[in-house]
């Protein structure tokens, strides 16, 4: 077994603290890479707090992982020692169902295997990227370009693909009016991709505090949702709303901002179910949809698109000892726009 240093939550009510554990030896198809940076996703906080379902503890969060390959198994073809590598939210899936065969491993019908807070096919709990090394089957390891800043690439592995995938699926681009609801980790990547794909992008944010940032990120318009006059100006305006909000919110209000036949795409996962008023969707034949991360082929496509178009996340690099403070800021919506842990501080 490989000895690993990590940071773990021992229970939903304890702070994260150093925790040593083990990972499997490198198998014939495995890649082991030393983790250099790991992004901090709001899903880490949801899962530590059992917001969605009872978690597996101790929990080592982290699914925006980049680093350098240390060792490869005898049959590995895709990677060699010294290559840059990344892992997102998935480390395995059944590989046989119709979705897996189409490269939609995130929708595996048997159940995908998450990078942490899951169990591998061997029944052993999975542990994420708040740790110094990881072993993953090569099919679930992504190639990372050396052209981009490595810490700023880490968030692409979740925040990036989670916003790229729905915008591609619904073919959002030139001629569309796209609203990005919530300017946090996912939201700021949604703005960058929406702009890159040619849509007119408006940020819908809780207050005016992030207006200047939204412009710098490339957004064309900004609406402070606490100003009724500004909200009135965008009633019936959008073709799509990309909803990245992590807390309960008023769906009736946001549905009123869609055009006829508009689509509200949920990627945020508040702890409680959202309430959808029937009149809010039948008037104007509107759709409420959802999208989960992305499959392996599309994640590689997104990383390659980012390398070709010089797109990375705007990050605040943190010491792992400051993780709790970062969670507190995240809960207040004070993320500009992704915390990334410098794993050298572990
Ligand atoms: P984040 O960085 O904390 O951003 C969330 C943003 O939502 C905040 O910055 C804030 O933006 C806005 N917000 C927060 N509370 C709000 C409220 N009560 N009302 C209105 N707006 C509010 O979080 P994240 O990492 O981007 O993740 C966002 C959500 O997506 C989480 O629920 C996460 O679990 C989920 N997620 C889903 C997937 C998927 O596969 N679908 C993948 C990753 C994450 P403003 O300050 O602009 O208002
Ligand atoms: Zn995530
Ligand atoms: Zn499957």
């Amino acid at each position: 077994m490989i000895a690993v240093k990590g940071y773990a939550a021992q229970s939903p009510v304890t702070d994260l603290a150093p925790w040593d554990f083990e990972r499997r030896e490198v198998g014939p198809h495995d890649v082991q890479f030393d983790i250099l940076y790991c992004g901090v996703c709001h899903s880490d906080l949801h899962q530590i707090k059992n917001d969605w379902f009872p978690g597996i503890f101790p929990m080592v969060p982290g699914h925006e992982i980049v680093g350098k390959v240390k060792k490869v198994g005898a049959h590995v073809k895709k990677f060699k020692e010294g290559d840059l590598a990344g892992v997102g939210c998935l480390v395995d899936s059944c590989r046989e169902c119709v979705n897996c065969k189409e490269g939609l491993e995130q929708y595996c019908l048997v159940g995908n295997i998450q990078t942490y807070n899951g169990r591998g096919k061997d029944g052993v709990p999975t542990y994420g990227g708040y740790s110094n090394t990881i072993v993953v089957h090569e099919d679930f390891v992504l190639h990372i370009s050396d052209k981009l800043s490595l810490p700023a690439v880490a968030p692409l592995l979740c925040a990036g693909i989670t916003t790229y995938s729905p915008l591609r699926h619904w073919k959002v681009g030139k001629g569309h009016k796209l609203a990005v609801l919530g300017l946090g980790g996912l939201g700021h990547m949604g703005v960058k991709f929406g702009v890159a794909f040619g849509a007119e992008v408006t940020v819908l944010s809780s207050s005016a505090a992030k207006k200047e940032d939204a412009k710098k990120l490339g957004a064309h318009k900004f609406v402070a949702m606490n100003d009724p006059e500004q909200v009135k100006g965008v009633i019936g305006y959008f073709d799509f709303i990309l909803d990245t909000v992590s807390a309960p919110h008023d769906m009736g209000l946001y549905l009123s901002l869609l055009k006829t036949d508009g689509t509200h795409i949920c990627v945020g996962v508040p702890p409680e179910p959202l309430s959808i008023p029937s009149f809010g969707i039948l008037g104007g034949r509107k759709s409420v949809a959802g999208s989960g991360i992305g499959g392996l082929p599309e994640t590689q496509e997104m990383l390659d698109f980012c390398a070709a178009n010089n797109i990375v996340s705007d990050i605040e690099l943190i010491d792992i000892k400051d993780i709790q403070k970062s969670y507190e800021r995240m809960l207040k919506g004070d993320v500009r726009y992704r915390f990334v842990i410098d794993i050298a501080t572990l």
Side-chain angles (χ1 to χ4, degrees), residues 135-149:
V135 178
V136 178
H137 190 289
E138 66 171 322
D139 291 350
F140 285 76
V141 183
L142 287 309
H143 286 287
I144 305 290
S145 165
D146 59 6
K147 290 199 195 96
L148 301 173
S149 157

Side-chain angles (χ1 to χ4, degrees), residues 41-43 46 52 158 162 182-186 205-206 210 244-248 267-269 291-293 330 333 335 338:
C41 180
H42 205 118
S43 303
H46 285 308
W52 298 334
C158 175
T162 302
L183 195 60
L186 266 56
S205 194
S206 311
K210 296 176 180 171
T244 75
V245 174
S246 51
V267 289
V269 191
S291 183
I293 48 172
M330 186 181 254
V335 184
R338 196 57 142 187

Side-chain angles (χ1 to χ4, degrees), residues 59-245:
M59 189 187 298
V60 178
H63 57 207
E64 295 183 337
I65 308 169
V66 291
K68 206 167 249 189
V69 174
K70 182 175 186 183
K71 193 171 173 186
V72 297
H75 298 308
V76 169
K77 297 209 174 65
K78 275 172 64 184
F79 292 90
K80 59 178 189 327
E81 199 187 318
D83 284 352
L84 293 177
V87 165
C89 302
L90 304 177
V91 288
D92 211 345
S93 69
C94 88
R95 296 151 182 266
E96 282 164 7
C97 74
V98 58
N99 288 348
C100 284
K101 288 214 162 115
E102 276 185 35
L104 296 169
E105 297 88 351
Q106 77 275 38
Y107 306 132
C108 174
L109 297 173
V110 180
N112 63 51
I113 296 175
Q114 300 267 319
T115 302
Y116 68 88
N117 199 18
R119 283 185 195 278
K121 286 174 180 161
D122 53 7
V124 176
T126 54
Y127 299 114
Y130 297 11
S131 62
N132 64 347
T133 195
I134 192 164
V135 178
V136 178
H137 190 289
E138 66 171 322
D139 291 350
F140 285 76
V141 183
L142 287 309
H143 286 287
I144 305 290
S145 165
D146 59 6
K147 290 199 195 96
L148 301 173
S149 157
L150 194 58
V153 165
L156 301 179
L157 275 309
C158 175
I161 185 60
T162 302
T163 49
Y164 181 94
S165 183
L167 297 183
R168 283 302 198 208
H169 176 76
W170 276 279
K171 300 186 169 52
V172 177
K174 216 169 160 40
H176 288 135
K177 293 183 163 67
L178 166 69
V180 174
L181 171 53
L183 195 60
L186 266 56
H188 92 292
M189 290 312 305
V191 171
K192 292 189 185 206
F193 288 131
V195 170
F197 300 164
E200 181 200 279
V201 179
T202 303
V203 168
L204 308 179
S205 194
S206 311
S207 73
K210 296 176 180 171
K211 186 171 180 175
E212 285 313 307
D213 286 359
K215 271 197 204 146
K216 279 188 212 143
L217 290 164
H220 305 97
K221 296 187 176 181
F222 183 92
V223 174
M225 293 302 297
N226 61 353
D227 178 347
E229 281 307 307
Q230 289 185 43
V231 175
K232 228 189 263 173
V234 288
I235 301 279
Y237 186 77
F238 299 109
D239 298 285
F240 297 97
I241 296 176
L242 185 65
D243 177 351
T244 75
V245 174

